[in-house]
Amino acid sequence: TTGSGTGPFTWAHTCTGSNLVLCVNIFIYDSADFPTSVTYNGVALTLIGSTSNGQYTVYQYYLIAPATGTNNISVSVSGTVFDFVGSGVSLTGADQTAAIGTQATASGTDTTPTVNVTSASGELVIDALVITHSGTLTVDGSQTQQAQAVGGFGSIKGASSTEGGAATTTMSWGNSSSQAWAIVG
């Protein structure tokens, strides 16, 4: 979903299957504002971590064993957000006790947003990228794009992808123009 203003920002998401984990990515343009509550079906999610490039911040949250069916993801923020993007991805067959590994972060200003994530075979890496909305953004061919949207005010893009884990999994994107970005994995 996309938007701007005071929120809450709410969108429907469907979880199906067993041994589920829900990951929610939040992208905000305005370093002074931050999520104060992230819920799915009224149940609070846990913050994995965040990173910023100064103006734009990306946050990752998760919930083990979310309710199945179609329910709302809702994000409340601390103030008035200039630009907002939110996305969710639910995964089946996930470890229900140690679902989340150690987050890696990176930021910069160029055409190739990239982060190296420590992982392992049989795991899945999820990234989330916030970047200035200018140029065409494409996901690396080894990754599966899960989301990409322009913020409600049109200043940022938020994008997410997945890739099978390895000792080091490189999550990367290409943008047709050099822009400020921040990425987590």
Side-chain angles (χ1 to χ4, degrees):
T1 194
T2 64
S4 61
T6 58
F9 302 98
T10 302
W11 67 100
H13 182 86
T14 303
C15 290
T16 61
S18 60
N19 294 322
L20 291 167
V21 172
L22 172 65
C23 293
V24 173
N25 301 306
I26 300 166
F27 313 87
I28 294 178
Y29 178 144
D30 191 346
S31 59
D33 295 314
F34 52 89
T36 57
S37 171
V38 180
T39 64
Y40 176 72
N41 193 34
V43 178
L45 277 74
T46 301
L47 177 67
I48 300 169
S50 65
T51 194
S52 175
N53 69 6
Q55 287 185 302
Y56 319 131
T57 305
V58 56
Y59 301 86
Q60 282 190 317
Y61 286 79
Y62 76 99
L63 177 62
I64 295 175
T68 57
T70 301
N71 297 287
N72 283 337
I73 296 171
S74 184
V75 178
S76 296
V77 292
S78 62
T80 302
V81 174
F82 185 71
D83 218 350
F84 176 92
V85 177
S87 71
V89 60
S90 48
L91 307 166
T92 62
D95 187 320
Q96 299 293 285
T97 57
I100 304 300
T102 303
Q103 188 182 61
T105 65
S107 61
T109 302
D110 56 41
T111 60
T112 55
T114 302
V115 65
N116 292 316
V117 181
T118 300
S119 186
S121 178
E123 295 182 344
L124 187 70
V125 176
I126 300 174
D127 73 345
L129 166 69
V130 63
I131 188 169
T132 303
H133 172 48
S134 181
T136 302
L137 182 64
T138 55
V139 68
D140 182 81
S142 63
Q143 296 159 219
T144 301
Q145 182 173 300
Q146 299 295 332
Q148 185 178 147
V150 176
F153 199 74
S155 297
I156 62 171
K157 283 182 193 168
S160 177
S161 70
T162 54
E163 182 175 354
T168 300
T169 303
T170 300
M171 305 299 283
S172 60
W173 296 76
N175 201 57
S176 61
S177 65
S178 182
Q179 300 299 327
W181 54 266
I183 189 172
V184 297

